Amino acid sequence: MAVQAEVSTADGAGAGSGDRLDPELVRLALVVLVGAVVVQLDATIVSVALDTLARSFDVGVSTIQWVSTGYLLALAVVIPLTGWSVERFGGKRMWLASLTLFLVGSVLCGIAWSASSLIAFRIVQGAGGGLLLPLMQTILAQAAGPARLGRLMATVAVPALLTPVLGPVVGGVLIDDLGWRWIFFVNVPVCVVAIALAWRLMPEMRVAQRHPFDGVGFALLSPGLAVAIYGLSEAGRRGDFTDPRALVPLLTGLAMIAVFAWHALRTKIVPLIDLRLFRFASFCGSAGMMFLFGLSLYGAMLLLPLYEQQVRGRSAIEAGLLLAPQGLGMMLAMILVGRLVDRTSPRLLVLIGIVLSVLGSVAYTQVGADTSEVLLGGSLVLRGMGLAAASIPVMSAAYHGLRPTDIPRATSAVRIFQQIGGSLGTAVLAVVLAHQLRGTTSGGAAVDLGAQAHAYAVAFWWTLGFSVLAVPMALLLPGRAAGSPRPAAPRDGSAAAESAVGPDPGTPGLVPGETGPVARPV
């Protein structure tokens, strides 16, 4: 029997009531999880294959790095389209189209015959992958409603947090045992299964209102994001923000984004990204937190394996395995956070997560050439627990105070902030590390491992600083859980009494007669 989700007048909690998630909602989460995990894993698998690809196609690093850069730019271009596309075509259609595009791109990448063809096909793959992740969050947020979103996000966030750890290991195994083409071919069966499941089980998401396409906004925002992220990528690769090949595109992209912001606040149509959502403190705090998480998480994922390889002499697979404690910490935190997130203050959970993340980073700020791996592994467990404890409530708190019709564009905005944060974090730490590593060789040959370790320690101080900067943003998050019961109003039901009580925190941002989407059998 088909299931159709629509915006209707029902309980604002979304998909049902009670403490347990409805089976239909759990099934939907599992369906999108199959598609999302392959995209998230692919992005990190390819990162360990660049050296092999360069040797296979007999090209230099400056050419083969476009395999990653092209994919990243494609993501930046399509993410702003998510909100409008869901309104126009529906979540299920866009999910199937994006999965199909990612599948086609994966097959083409696997049969690539040159570096230029691989780069072109990675752009195709990135266009599909860039839509899938924000689509996943939009579909689940619309189906779950605010009172259940936290627990649902705790389920689907596991691969998002684990893939940066597992990706390099899986990539190393595939390359060593099967060859580089299989890092793309491995996506094919998973995508086929994901498409079949979505076709059969995913409900149609009927949108109550469609808005015209913001062509001016798209012409400004998508290229602006792509150019800015390219500039950040070049700054990280060259180790210098002042290099004209990094500075010019970075400033150009930022200027285009600024013009988009001016356009979005003045246009009479609904802009591609509605900046007026930032008047909600919770959304503003969530967007800022996602930006800083991008800085800290992706920046650290650059430093951690490089430290193990350059200072400790580990292989790529060994370095990947040594990051496993962070994944363990994430899984431990997920078990607890998944039970508490819809019944506990998002602000409290995030602040606890920040404290754990800071504590887990301290040992790396003091790292040396022979620091105990047990100490570093234990620190990674703490860091993983902190990242998980903070990221889940942040994702769900982004929708506090918003109407269901605001969800698609809100998701696009949050994903953009995360993408920019990740790119900026990687670039900043790459530049910091490059400056610190200068002069760590003596006589032009012998490597001073102690000096190299100190260079990484300085860079790790920056990741700790990014975590501390998240505290003011965390204070903007709601002090009460989305599913908290509404305060009792006086029995007279007067307008004054209703005003004193305020809107139902379980259905934030809804006016009388307007509720979240619910799943209904057709």
Side-chain angles (χ1 to χ4, degrees):
M1 179 172 61
V3 175
Q4 180 136 347
E6 60 183 17
V7 176
S8 61
T9 56
D11 179 68
S17 59
D19 289 336
R20 304 183 67 178
L21 294 174
D22 293 339
E24 292 84 359
L25 197 55
V26 175
R27 184 174 63 186
L28 175 62
L30 294 176
V31 168
V32 299
L33 191 58
V34 175
V37 69
V38 69
V39 177
Q40 294 167 321
L41 198 61
D42 179 85
T44 51
I45 284 178
V46 175
S47 65
V48 301
L50 294 181
D51 182 62
T52 301
L53 293 171
R55 287 187 278 105
S56 298
F57 293 121
D58 193 23
V59 295
V61 174
S62 61
T63 298
I64 207 64
Q65 60 91 19
W66 275 96
V67 171
S68 293
T69 303
Y71 183 89
L72 189 66
L73 298 185
L75 259 66
V77 169
V78 300
I79 286 176
L81 293 173
T82 307
W84 171 82
S85 65
V86 170
E87 291 178 356
R88 177 65 180 84
F89 302 106
K92 180 176 182 177
R93 290 182 181 178
M94 287 306 304
W95 181 259
L96 290 171
S98 301
L99 266 176
T100 302
L101 187 60
F102 185 82
L103 171 61
V104 171
S106 297
V107 173
L108 292 174
C109 287
I111 62 174
W113 55 89
S114 65
S116 57
S117 65
L118 179 59
I119 292 167
F121 296 149
R122 277 285 282 173
I123 293 173
V124 174
Q125 192 187 36
L131 287 170
L132 280 171
L133 298 183
L135 279 172
M136 174 192 73
Q137 195 166 334
T138 297
I139 290 169
L140 294 180
Q142 288 184 324
R148 311 222 171 212
L149 184 57
R151 275 170 289 171
L152 203 61
M153 286 299 178
T155 301
V156 300
V158 174
L161 295 171
L162 294 183
T163 47
V165 178
L166 298 178
V169 178
V170 175
V173 171
L174 288 173
I175 292 169
D176 289 344
D177 294 345
L178 298 175
W180 68 263
R181 296 184 186 275
W182 281 93
I183 65 176
F184 302 110
F185 286 147
V186 73
N187 298 332
V188 175
V190 183
C191 285
V192 170
V193 171
I195 291 171
L197 289 175
W199 182 274
R200 177 69 180 88
L201 301 176
M202 182 176 287
E204 296 284 355
M205 305 301 292
R206 182 181 300 158
V207 180
Q209 184 178 5
R210 294 178 179 176
H211 299 98
F213 180 64
D214 180 16
V216 174
F218 177 71
L220 290 169
L221 182 58
S222 287
L225 285 172
V227 174
I229 289 175
Y230 170 74
L232 291 172
S233 177
E234 284 294 290
R237 191 164 67 88
R238 301 180 186 281
D240 189 359
F241 274 98
T242 61
D243 190 306
R245 289 164 290 188
L247 185 61
V248 171
L250 178 58
L251 293 179
T252 301
L254 292 177
M256 295 179 72
I257 294 172
V259 175
F260 166 79
W262 177 83
H263 158 79
L265 294 173
R266 294 176 60 89
T267 182
K268 295 181 179 179
I269 65 173
V270 177
L272 209 60
I273 300 297
D274 191 353
L275 298 184
R276 286 163 289 198
L277 295 174
F278 284 92
R279 71 181 184 272
F280 296 99
S282 180
F283 179 81
C284 186
S286 294
M289 289 289 294
M290 294 301 284
F291 174 78
L292 291 169
F293 279 162
L295 282 171
S296 181
L297 176 60
Y298 291 100
M301 292 314 298
L302 167 73
L303 298 177
L304 290 169
L306 282 178
Y307 164 75
E308 292 291 350
Q309 290 174 287
Q310 291 189 354
V311 179
R312 310 297 286 262
R314 311 292 187 185
S315 68
I317 294 179
E318 288 173 335
L321 289 173
L322 287 169
L323 299 184
Q326 181 166 286
L328 174 63
M330 291 174 179
M331 287 188 288
L332 292 174
M334 288 294 178
I335 297 173
L336 182 61
V337 173
R339 297 174 180 175
L340 297 177
V341 65
D342 288 325
R343 297 188 300 238
T344 306
S345 161
R347 184 188 306 161
L348 176 61
L349 285 176
V350 170
L351 288 173
I352 292 173
I354 291 173
V355 171
L356 291 175
S357 179
V358 168
L359 291 176
S361 301
V362 169
Y364 278 92
T365 65
Q366 307 299 315
V367 76
D370 55 357
T371 303
S372 168
E373 291 286 10
V374 175
L375 173 62
L376 297 181
S379 297
L380 284 180
V381 172
L382 273 181
R383 178 177 169 81
M385 293 178 67
L387 289 171
S391 62
I392 300 306
V394 163
M395 286 191 289
S396 58
Y399 304 109
H400 282 248
L402 305 186
R403 298 174 306 230
T405 51
D406 292 327
I407 288 175
R409 295 172 191 265
T411 303
S412 298
V414 170
R415 282 287 172 182
I416 287 172
F417 272 81
Q418 185 182 32
Q419 188 73 39
I420 295 176
S423 300
L424 180 60
T426 302
V428 167
L429 292 182
V431 171
V432 170
L433 184 61
H435 281 283
Q436 292 295 321
L437 286 174
R438 290 175 183 171
T440 58
T441 59
S442 58
V447 177
D448 185 345
L449 294 181
Q452 277 199 346
H454 177 72
Y456 280 94
V458 172
F460 278 118
W461 270 110
W462 283 69
T463 66
L464 189 147
F466 294 150
S467 298
V468 174
L469 286 176
V471 172
M473 292 295 175
L475 298 178
L476 296 176
L477 300 179
R480 300 180 58 192
S484 298
R486 182 181 179 181
R491 293 180 180 273
D492 60 12
S494 65
E498 175 66 21
S499 175
V501 172
D504 185 352
T507 55
L510 303 183
V511 297
E514 188 177 22
T515 62
V518 295
R520 292 172 176 266
V522 177

